[in-house]
Amino acid sequence: MNAKITCLVAPVVSATTFIAFWYGVRGMMPADKKFMLPLPHDVATALVENHTVLLHASLNIALGASIGLATATVLAVGLAILMSTSGFIRTSLYPHLMMLQMMPVIALAPILVIWVGPGLPSVSIITFLICFFPLVVNTTQGLLSTDQKLVEMFDLYRASRWQQIRRLRIPAAMPYFFTGLRISGILASIGAIVGDFSAGSSANDGAGLGFLIIIYGAQFKMAELFATVISGCLVGFSFVLVVHRMSWFFLHQWHDSYERSDR
Amino acid sequence: MVAPPPPVHFNAVTKHFGDGPAVLDAINFTAREGDFIAVIGPSGCGKSTLLRLIAGLTTPSSGSLSLQRQPPVDAVVELAFVFQEPTLLPWARVAANVALPLRLRGVPSNECADAVHRCLTQVRLADRADAFPRQLSGGQQMRVSIARALALNPKLLLLDEPFGALDEMTRNHLNEELLTLREQAVWTAFFVTHSISEAVFLANRVLVMSAHPGRIQHEVTVDLPYPRTAATRQSSRFLELTAQLSQLLHAAETPPA
C-alpha cells in the first residue's frame, strides 16, 4: 500500500517542483528575454484556446503515424518470415536494410513530396521508413531464436514447413516482435511529426503538428509552440499505451516478462 | 503362423558424426512387441543417439534399422518421443499442447477434444487442461509431455531420461503411473535412464551399454511379474537385479585394461 501511495505522490511532487523551478527561471530572466519562455499557465491557456486546431493537427499526426506504423508492421513481419526461411535471402537483404536505416529520412522529404505529393502520403511513407527497421530486425531475430528442442519435436511429428512457421516460429517470435513494436511505436509519432514538419501541407485540412510548429514558429508564438510540443507528447504517449496493451494481451499469460499469475 | 514383424530391429548398425569416432558400433538388437526396454550406460555411450535413430531424427552410418520391416522415415508405425525436458509450447494451454501431434496431422481442433481429455485423464491432469505450462510443477509438466506422446495412440514410445530432472519421490511416482498407462494400451517402449532402479522397476529387458564406442555389452532380462507396484522395489529379486546391473554397469564404465 505504501509503495502505491509513493507511486502516485512522487511524480506529482517532482512535477510541482519542476513547474516552480520554471516560474523561478522565468522570474530571473531579463525583461527583453522573457518572451522566450512562456509561463506554464500561458501554455495551458494556449492549449485551451487552440484546442480545436491542436486536436485536429494531433489527429492528422495520429493518422499518418498509424498508417505508417501499420504498413511497416505488416511488411516487416512478412519480410521477417521470408528472411527466416533462408540464409541466402537474409544475407542478400540485410545490407540493404542497414542502408535503409542509415538513410537520413528527412532528406527524402523533398523527393517524396515530388513523387507522392505533400501531406498524408509523404508523412505516412516517412513514418513507415523510420518504423520499419526495428520491426524487421527484431522479428527476424525472434523467428530464428526458436528453442531447438521444440524444432526437433516438430520434426519428429513430421510437421510441414508452414506448420512449423505458424505453430512454432511465429508464436515464439512474439516477444521479440513486441520489442520491435515498442521501439517503433515510440518512433511512429515522432516520425510523423518530423515528416509533417518537412513534407506537411495544410491542403484539405491536412495540417499536422509539424506544420503548426512552422506556422507558430514564424509568428514567434512561444506559448502555442509549447502547447504543440505537449500535444505531440500526448500523441506519442497514446501510441505507446496501445502497443503496451497489445503486448500485454498477447504475452501476459505465458511469457516470463510478465509476472506469474497463479501456480 | 507368421510371426508379427518386430517393432524395432537393429542390424549391425553403426553411427558416427562426420569424421569422428563411432558413437554406436555393431548394434544388433530386436525388440518384441510389448517389450519395455531400458537402456543404461555411461555418458557418451550413445543412448540418446539410439533413440534418435529409431525416431528417424538421424540415420545410421552403416547397417540397417527397421521398424516393422520398414526404414524409420517411411515407417507407418505410430511412434512418440518423450524428451528429457517437457518441451511444451509455453504459449499454448495444456489441452492445446496435448492436441499438438493431432493438429499437426490435420485433425480439426473440435475433433481432438476427446483424445485430449482421455490422455489428460490418464495422467490425472484433466482438471489442468486450461492452465499454461508455467503454472505447472516440473512433474506435472512431464506428465503433460507424456499425455502429448499418448495422443496419437503410439505403438512405440521412446523416452529419453524423461524423469532425470525430477526428485526421487516424483520420479518413483511417475514410474508407477507409466506402468499403469502401459496396462491400458499395448506399446513397445525404449527408456533411456541413468537410474538402475528405475530401469529394473520399469523394464522387462535392460540393455547395458559401454562407451567409446557405444556397444550393447549385456542384456539382462527382468523377470519380475507385472503389474509392479511400489512394493516391488522392496522384493529381494528386485534388489538382486539392481545389484547385478550395478556390477555390469560398473564393468562397462571401466575401460578394459
Side-chain angles (χ1 to χ4, degrees), chain B residues 64-157:
Chain B
S64 71
L65 164 63
S66 63
L67 309 185
Q68 292 185 344
R69 301 207 180 97
Q70 287 168 311
V73 183
D74 306 327
V76 287
V77 53
E78 208 64 78
L79 70 83
F81 206 116
V82 179
F83 297 88
Q84 281 176 13
E85 284 116 63
T87 58
L88 302 174
L89 304 178
W91 51 84
R93 292 175 197 275
V94 164
N97 265 295
V98 175
L100 182 72
L102 295 164
R103 302 287 285 128
L104 292 176
R105 289 284 163 88
V107 180
S109 62
N110 52 347
E111 288 172 29
C112 295
D114 285 347
V116 169
H117 185 75
R118 171 179 56 81
C119 297
L120 280 176
T121 310
Q122 282 179 336
V123 298
R124 296 184 300 108
L125 277 175
D127 56 331
R128 298 313 304 272
D130 288 330
F132 282 90
R134 72 168 179 185
Q135 295 169 299
L136 305 178
S137 69
Q140 287 175 323
Q141 289 183 10
M142 213 58 233
R143 273 148 66 194
V144 175
S145 190
I146 291 170
R148 178 180 65 195
L150 296 176
L152 288 173
N153 282 318
K155 291 282 160 268
L156 183 58
L157 201 55

Side-chain angles (χ1 to χ4, degrees), chain B residues 191-206:
Chain B
F191 190 103
V192 166
T193 177
H194 274 117
S195 157
I196 291 171
S197 66
E198 189 172 54
V200 174
F201 182 76
L202 291 171
N204 63 327
R205 303 168 76 184
V206 180

